[in-house]
């Protein structure tokens, strides 16, 4: 049994990640001039899509947002607040969405890995589940928005998730506490992803030869 403090901290981080990713969904919906249903759908799939896939894969059913309606309430409130903010601030800097996405990744990768470990998975599977928790919602969001998902672009994206999840699992294995492991893991992702955003860093691309 984990201490109550750890459980509450994990829950808070999960809800914070829900808010961050939901707001990123609102930004995409606003850019595409969607109606309120479209806003809610993009906010929801971005924030709970990855966690839903994770829970189904590790057998954590019913999935988290069905057992706890606070997640849906958080998404709805974030969508309403986001639309209100967008009406006041009509234009946002180009880096806002990638930064929100980076923060959401940092929060959700560690949450996904932690939950997978709590269901008895190996460390490697926990890292994969952390990546799925972080990126899958954004993939669905981008597909619905008619964009190439970030995970398929040249950006340093999944690499940062793999690094963060691996650091979390390794630190737990060597005996570091849950809280320290979580924050070091989240910080490591931000230290990789944020500079990549502003410096436009990318991974080498795979190319078979010259185009015809």
């Amino acid at each position: 049994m984990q201490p109550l403090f750890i459980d509450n901290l994990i829950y808070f981080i999960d809800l914070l990640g829900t808010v961050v990713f939901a707001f990123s969904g609102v930004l995409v919906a606003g850019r595409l001039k969607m109606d309120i249903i479209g806003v809610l759908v993009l906010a929801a799939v971005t924030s709970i899509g990855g966690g839903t896939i994770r829970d189904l894969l590790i057998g954590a059913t019913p999935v988290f947002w069905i057992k706890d309606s606070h997640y849906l309430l958080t998404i709805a409130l974030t969508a309403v607040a986001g639309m209100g903010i967008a009406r006041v601030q009509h234009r946002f800097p180009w880096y806002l969405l990638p930064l929100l996405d980076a923060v959401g990744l940092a929060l959700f990768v560690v949450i996904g890995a932690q939950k997978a470990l709590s269901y008895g998975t190996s460390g490697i599977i926990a890292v994969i589940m952390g990546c799925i928790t972080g990126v899958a919602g954004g993939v669905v969001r981008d597909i619905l928005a008619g964009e190439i998902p970030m995970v398929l672009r040249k950006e340093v994206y999944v690499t940062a998730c793999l690094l963060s999840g691996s650091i979390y699992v390794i630190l737990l294995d060597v005996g570091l506490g849950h809280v320290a492991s979580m924050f070091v893991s989240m910080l490591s992702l931000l230290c990789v992803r944020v500079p990549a955003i502003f410096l436009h860093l990318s991974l080498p691309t795979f190319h078979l030869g010259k185009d015809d």
Side-chain angles (χ1 to χ4, degrees), residues 101-114:
D101 207 71
V103 173
L105 284 178
L107 296 169
F108 273 2
V109 166
V110 68
I111 288 296
Q114 185 277 331

Side-chain angles (χ1 to χ4, degrees), residues 133-144:
T133 307
V135 308
V139 169
V140 177
R141 175 199 66 204
D142 292 343
I143 291 174
L144 292 177

Side-chain angles (χ1 to χ4, degrees), residues 2 18 29 175 205:
Q2 292 183 143
T18 300
T205 58

Side-chain angles (χ1 to χ4, degrees), residues 5-212:
F5 169 74
I6 301 297
D7 289 336
N8 289 336
L9 178 63
I10 291 171
Y11 187 58
F12 171 77
I13 291 174
D14 207 11
L15 286 178
L16 180 60
T18 300
V19 170
V20 172
F21 265 159
F23 189 68
S24 76
V26 172
L27 290 180
V28 174
R31 191 172 64 209
L32 297 175
K33 300 179 180 179
M34 292 186 175
D35 61 19
I36 188 171
I37 300 300
V39 173
L40 287 171
V41 168
L42 283 195
V45 298
T46 308
S47 55
I48 61 176
T52 299
I53 296 173
R54 173 205 64 215
D55 280 6
L56 292 174
L57 289 174
I58 65 176
T61 54
V63 296
F64 67 102
W65 56 269
I66 291 179
K67 293 191 290 185
D68 186 350
S69 59
H70 286 120
Y71 288 95
L72 296 181
L73 178 61
T74 299
I75 292 168
L77 291 175
T78 302
V80 171
M83 287 187 289
I85 293 171
R87 288 186 180 278
V88 176
Q89 182 70 31
H90 298 290
R91 300 189 65 179
F92 295 94
W94 68 268
Y95 52 79
L96 180 59
L97 181 58
L99 277 182
L100 286 175
D101 207 71
V103 173
L105 284 178
L107 296 169
F108 273 2
V109 166
V110 68
I111 288 296
Q114 185 277 331
K115 186 162 187 177
L117 289 174
S118 72
Y119 273 76
T121 70
S122 66
I124 293 176
I125 298 302
V127 173
I128 294 173
M129 290 301 111
C131 290
I132 289 174
T133 307
V135 308
V139 169
V140 177
R141 175 199 66 204
D142 292 343
I143 291 174
L144 292 177
E147 300 178 349
I148 298 175
M150 287 187 182
V151 69
L152 298 180
R153 302 177 198 172
K154 297 186 296 181
E155 300 182 38
V156 179
Y157 195 77
V158 174
T159 309
C161 296
L162 290 171
L163 174 65
S164 176
S166 298
I167 288 174
Y168 176 69
V169 170
I170 291 171
L171 291 179
L172 286 180
D173 282 344
V174 300
L176 194 64
H178 281 279
V179 176
S181 298
M182 285 190 291
F183 281 102
V184 171
S185 172
M186 290 186 286
L187 184 61
S188 68
L189 190 148
L190 293 174
C191 286
V192 172
R193 181 70 186 125
V194 173
I197 292 171
F198 288 99
L199 298 177
H200 304 288
L201 302 178
S202 62
L203 296 175
T205 58
F206 174 66
H207 188 47
L208 290 175
K210 294 183 178 179
D211 295 330
D212 295 332

